[in-house]
Amino acid sequence: MTALDFKPAERDKVERSEDHGQFFIHSLREKGIINEKDVSTLTDKLKLCGLHGVAFEVIKSFTRYLSSTRLQQSNLGNYEEKKSLFKEQLRIKYKYLCGSIQAVPFLRDKYDINELFVGSGFEFLEETRAATHEQEMWTRLKDYKMIFTDPKLDSKRRIIEGDPGYGKSTLALQITNDWCQGKAPMKDFDILILLRLRYFRKASTVYSAVKSFLLPKDTELTEDNIKNILDTSQIVVILDGYDEYPYKDREETDIEHIIRGDMFQKYEVVLLTRKSCLPLHCSIDTKRIRLTGFDKSARDMYIRNVVARGNAETSDHINRFLRDENTIPNDLCKVPLFFTMIANMAHKSETFYHLKTVTAFFRHLIVCFHSHEQIKKAKGKREKKRFHRDHSLLDKQAFEGLCQSAQQISWNAKVLRAKITNDLYDEYVRIGILVEEDVYNCEAIEYHTESRFYHKLFLEWYAAHHLAREAAKRDTEFEPWPQRKNFLQCVNPTDLHYMFRFACGLSSDAALKIIKHLGKNENHDKSTLLCITEYGGSLKNIVDTVESLCLRRIDIDIRDSLLLQNSTVELVKFASNKKFPISEVWLINCLDSSFPRTGKIHLKKIKLTLPVMTTLKKLVVWEEGLELTEETIASIFQYLKMYLSLKKLM
């Protein structure tokens, strides 16, 4: 720096600056040592210092810089035209996606996302955790736009998680639609990229996926054009359906690099996935948001805006139906996918009054698909078409697709047609259970038709039939889970808990073996309890499993579904009556305020009273914001006198 006429104070400023290099260049410009057209003063001084090699490298770098600058200036107009074309082609694609949504496939009614979307039920994970009971602390968000505006969620990486059917893809479309319409906060981004990760079986890179799945077939833009545009723009990338991504087990993919923060570092990235399928390696600053489902106000809004279309009489009829005590469990109505179908069909079918399990609901839903297709008008008469009840070939394809290490959730249409027969394929496409899509194959450099299920839950439904048949016909129960030597070796019960629940509801013989199989692994306790709910048989048939569950920690959590809470209460009630030892029970934010008055533990969300567990060893009551009065404490100790085996209370 002395050779460049830097005084000690100036050298000190350079060394203390946050970006040494940038401040150093700025100082050189101020001294006239370099400018945008000439660096000879700098190179001459370097040569005087004997730094001929450094001077030569500076000249080469500066020559490249001038060449690049001239090229950029000459292509500036071309670049802006390509960027404008890129944005316009994206908007055309997004407007199609956002304007052609089917709430119920077989009804064929198309909705715009502005009509269909109901923003309800968003929470984000706080940085802190409760020290005493290891529960994650979640805070409610007012609406979905706060995902991008709340200071606590300021990050380049966000994960939005939710159970199947909770509206993750619908939320992705709403955010995309906001960008198309220039609404805040999406208007702050030059470009929004929405990629559905199930397509990546046929795409090698993110850029090829953008070109193949978002742009028209005859686009003039190349992958290099797309890369250049993205590199020089303010970008938000939405990756929808990580649970459907076929290469989750591979670390060296564009998607995994993006999630880890090794790629697209300056872009804002939003990943949507099932909560049971979170990425293993995330960027350290990743923020987590989750969908909690429809509450009453969201359901009322959906009925009013989408189903009734402003008709007050229809709206009142559906609401009365759904509020009836004998109708479908509230759990199903909390899941947006289920609720939309229930609301659209509730006033057309009285059968819904008698459905008590998810399996029963889905069975009736499939019947509705077929029944609607059976009735067709032909020359003024109603013509019944054939109802394919034997779908075992489709069941096998669905099960084998889910059991692969890289799950297959879509198939080449020609291949699937050949495997399940033309008649079955055509019928399932016609009624909407199977959906056809044009997909670009990067390897073959051509488009072809692929088939997938309307929703992954339908895929699990048909896979469950194959699972139920295979389980029922076996003489012995499954191998212990850790050994992974059975035909379920690639299946994760947490990720595919609906498949296991459906199978248990479809076959009681299969249910007994599946429940015993899952009950051997404490990581699958909740899946086991949900399977018990679908089974509906006597717990006497699975005594060994009940005893195993009771030797582990049992949670009754306000955040759990009503079906799960009910199943848990029935479990501890049965165990207590049979005098089975119960290791520990945790009551998490579910203690009803009536406790001091009644002397009984009532649960907030369901009309159930916790049984007196005379064999319980440890009880933990975790209530956020609970005021412990003398009356409450006295009631607790009076109540616990009946817990004869209790050793510890927290």
Side-chain angles (χ1 to χ4, degrees):
M1 283 193 184
T2 303
L4 297 176
D5 301 324
F6 274 76
K7 297 177 181 178
E10 292 174 327
R11 291 203 303 270
D12 187 52
K13 273 188 178 181
V14 172
E15 292 171 357
R16 287 189 293 106
S17 63
E18 291 186 5
D19 190 330
H20 307 308
Q22 187 174 347
F23 192 82
F24 181 51
I25 296 297
H26 175 72
S27 301
L28 289 174
R29 284 178 176 172
E30 281 192 336
K31 288 177 173 290
I33 296 175
I34 64 172
N35 59 52
E36 294 180 356
K37 297 182 180 180
D38 182 32
V39 290
S40 59
T41 304
L42 172 62
T43 54
D44 288 345
K45 288 181 178 291
L46 290 172
K47 290 175 182 177
L48 284 174
C49 295
L51 302 173
H52 296 277
V54 176
F56 178 69
E57 289 299 324
V58 169
I59 292 170
K60 283 204 311 183
S61 298
F62 188 66
T63 302
R64 286 197 300 269
Y65 164 76
L66 286 179
S67 176
S68 174
T69 302
R70 292 190 192 103
L71 183 61
Q72 286 180 8
Q73 288 174 346
S74 65
N75 290 333
L76 184 59
N78 190 31
Y79 167 81
E80 292 298 336
E81 288 175 7
K82 288 180 179 179
K83 182 174 180 179
S84 178
L85 175 63
F86 182 52
K87 293 171 71 172
E88 181 59 28
Q89 291 182 345
L90 285 177
R91 284 193 173 94
I92 291 172
K93 177 68 173 182
Y94 294 156
K95 285 178 181 178
Y96 169 75
L97 294 176
C98 295
S100 56
I101 304 170
Q102 288 180 271
V104 182
F106 63 80
L107 294 181
R108 301 300 185 184
D109 294 332
K110 297 291 181 70
Y111 295 90
D112 185 272
I113 188 66
N114 290 321
E115 299 177 286
L116 197 64
F117 181 75
V118 177
S120 175
F122 304 96
E123 297 177 341
F124 73 92
L125 182 63
E126 290 275 21
E127 294 293 337
T128 57
R129 291 169 179 254
T132 54
H133 69 96
E134 301 174 352
Q135 292 297 307
E136 294 175 332
M137 303 296 293
W138 294 83
T139 300
R140 187 173 180 82
L141 291 172
K142 183 180 178 181
D143 60 44
Y144 73 96
K145 292 184 178 181
M146 294 183 70
I147 294 171
F148 296 92
T149 59
D150 193 305
K152 292 182 179 180
L153 292 172
D154 184 27
S155 174
K156 294 293 184 184
R157 295 292 182 272
R158 300 175 180 89
I159 291 177
I160 300 177
E161 58 193 76
D163 280 332
Y166 267 62
K168 298 182 291 296
S169 294
T170 305
L171 173 61
L173 286 177
Q174 180 61 39
I175 295 171
T176 302
N177 189 62
D178 286 351
W179 177 78
C180 289
Q181 297 185 355
K183 293 182 178 179
M186 289 300 107
K187 68 178 182 180
D188 296 333
F189 296 97
D190 292 333
I191 294 171
L192 179 143
I193 299 296
L194 169 62
L195 289 174
R196 290 169 170 168
L197 296 185
R198 63 172 178 263
Y199 293 142
F200 270 74
R201 187 179 294 276
K202 302 297 182 183
S204 56
T205 68
V206 172
Y207 305 110
S208 65
V210 171
K211 178 176 169 60
S212 303
F213 308 133
L214 298 182
L215 303 185
K217 296 179 181 180
D218 59 351
T219 182
E220 299 174 3
L221 298 171
T222 66
E223 290 182 29
D224 286 339
N225 294 151
I226 295 169
K227 185 178 186 305
N228 291 336
I229 292 169
L230 296 183
D231 285 346
T232 55
S233 305
Q234 188 74 12
I235 306 293
V236 58
V237 178
I238 299 177
L239 303 175
D240 183 21
Y242 181 73
D243 51 287
E244 299 179 353
Y245 179 50
Y247 303 126
K248 292 189 290 292
D249 58 335
R250 299 185 187 178
E251 293 186 6
E252 298 304 316
T253 64
D254 279 1
I255 298 303
E256 294 298 335
H257 284 305
I258 291 170
I259 293 170
R260 291 199 300 264
D262 298 334
M263 183 176 172
F264 288 2
Q265 291 181 342
K266 64 180 182 179
Y267 303 171
E268 294 206 20
V269 177
V270 180
L271 181 78
L272 296 101
T273 183
R274 291 187 181 195
K275 68 179 184 182
S276 61
C277 191
L278 295 172
L280 295 177
H281 308 289
C282 297
S283 172
I284 193 169
D285 63 339
T286 299
K287 304 295 183 182
R288 284 173 59 190
I289 301 100
R290 70 180 181 189
L291 306 182
T292 59
F294 275 1
D295 56 18
K296 182 181 179 301
S297 63
R299 295 198 294 264
D300 289 345
M301 185 183 299
Y302 182 87
I303 291 171
R304 184 171 60 253
N305 295 346
V306 181
V307 185
R309 299 275 183 135
N311 187 314
E313 185 177 345
T314 303
S315 181
D316 290 343
H317 175 80
I318 297 172
N319 276 313
R320 283 196 304 272
F321 177 84
L322 293 177
R323 291 190 190 109
D324 192 288
E325 290 184 359
N326 296 320
T327 192
I328 300 167
N330 285 333
D331 280 355
L332 297 180
C333 289
K334 189 177 181 183
V335 180
L337 177 71
F338 289 164
F339 175 76
T340 56
M341 296 184 179
I342 293 168
N344 279 281
M345 295 186 291
H347 60 300
K348 301 176 183 178
S349 173
E350 297 297 320
T351 307
F352 279 107
Y353 277 97
H354 310 292
L355 305 181
K356 299 298 181 184
T357 65
V358 175
T359 305
F361 166 74
F362 229 82
R363 182 186 285 116
H364 182 66
L365 181 64
I366 298 299
V367 169
C368 289
F369 271 76
H370 287 282
S371 298
H372 192 272
E373 173 60 21
Q374 278 183 311
I375 304 173
K376 296 288 186 181
K377 290 185 178 180
K379 296 181 181 180
K381 296 181 180 180
R382 293 198 171 192
E383 175 187 347
K384 283 193 175 182
K385 292 188 177 281
R386 186 181 175 191
F387 183 174
H388 284 279
R389 296 186 181 278
D390 182 9
H391 42 76
S392 56
L393 294 174
L394 182 62
D395 302 339
K396 184 177 180 181
Q397 291 301 309
F399 182 81
E400 290 179 351
L402 289 175
C403 287
Q404 295 181 27
S405 56
Q407 288 183 0
Q408 182 176 5
I409 62 173
S410 66
W411 293 261
N412 181 291
K414 291 181 180 179
V415 174
L416 184 61
R417 178 186 287 274
K419 288 187 176 181
I420 69 174
T421 74
N422 288 332
D423 287 347
L424 184 65
Y425 180 88
D426 289 337
E427 180 176 342
Y428 276 59
V429 169
R430 189 167 57 246
I431 65 180
I433 290 177
L434 289 177
V435 178
E436 291 185 331
E437 294 177 325
D438 286 337
V439 176
Y440 185 76
N441 188 326
C442 296
E443 296 174 359
I445 318 178
E446 64 180 10
Y447 281 85
H448 70 273
T449 303
E450 289 215 344
S451 300
R452 62 174 178 83
F453 285 86
Y454 167 71
H455 190 279
K456 198 174 180 182
L457 280 174
F458 286 79
L459 174 60
E460 293 190 50
W461 169 258
Y462 286 97
H465 284 75
H466 185 78
L467 170 59
R469 283 192 294 270
E470 288 294 318
K473 71 183 182 183
R474 290 171 178 262
D475 295 329
T476 58
E477 63 185 78
F478 299 128
E479 298 281 350
W481 186 262
Q483 293 183 11
R484 291 182 172 272
K485 292 180 180 178
N486 54 71
F487 73 104
L488 293 175
Q489 58 184 349
C490 295
V491 180
N492 179 355
T494 303
D495 180 31
L496 300 173
H497 68 88
Y498 274 104
M499 182 181 74
F500 283 86
R501 292 166 68 179
F502 289 149
C504 290
L506 291 168
S507 167
S508 57
D509 289 339
L512 293 175
K513 295 167 186 174
I514 290 172
I515 290 169
K516 288 180 180 179
H517 168 68
L518 294 179
K520 293 177 180 178
N521 190 321
E522 62 183 23
N523 294 325
H524 306 314
D525 283 356
K526 286 192 175 182
S527 297
T528 305
L529 286 167
L530 290 169
C531 285
I532 290 173
T533 300
E534 298 298 319
Y535 161 55
S538 173
L539 294 181
K540 294 179 182 179
N541 298 323
I542 48 172
V543 168
D544 292 345
T545 300
V546 173
E547 286 190 281
S548 297
L549 291 172
C550 290
L551 292 176
R552 305 194 281 261
R553 167 177 158 174
I554 297 172
D555 287 355
I556 302 178
D557 194 324
I558 189 68
R559 297 172 300 181
D560 290 335
S561 68
L562 303 183
L563 288 173
L564 180 56
Q565 286 193 38
N566 184 75
S567 185
T568 308
V569 170
E570 289 300 314
L571 175 81
V572 295
K573 183 178 180 180
F574 178 82
S576 187
N577 290 338
K578 292 293 184 181
K579 306 300 181 185
F580 296 157
I582 304 174
S583 178
E584 59 179 301
V585 171
W586 288 58
L587 304 178
I588 304 170
N589 289 320
C590 61
L591 189 65
D592 190 88
S593 59
S594 64
F595 175 76
R597 299 192 307 274
T598 62
K600 298 178 180 179
I601 294 182
H602 299 286
L603 302 181
K604 286 178 183 177
K605 285 170 61 175
I606 51 180
K607 297 177 180 178
L608 283 177
T609 301
L610 197 68
V612 175
M613 296 169 283
T614 55
T615 58
L616 179 63
K617 305 292 184 184
K618 176 181 176 181
L619 177 64
V620 180
V621 180
W622 176 269
E623 287 288 331
E624 295 173 16
L626 175 67
E627 183 180 356
L628 283 175
T629 63
E630 289 186 14
E631 179 188 12
T632 302
I633 294 173
S635 298
I636 289 174
F637 281 106
Q638 184 65 31
Y639 174 75
L640 290 177
K641 287 182 179 179
M642 297 181 284
Y643 281 55
L644 305 178
S645 301
L646 192 67
K647 303 294 183 184
K648 188 172 184 180
L649 169 68
M650 289 177 62

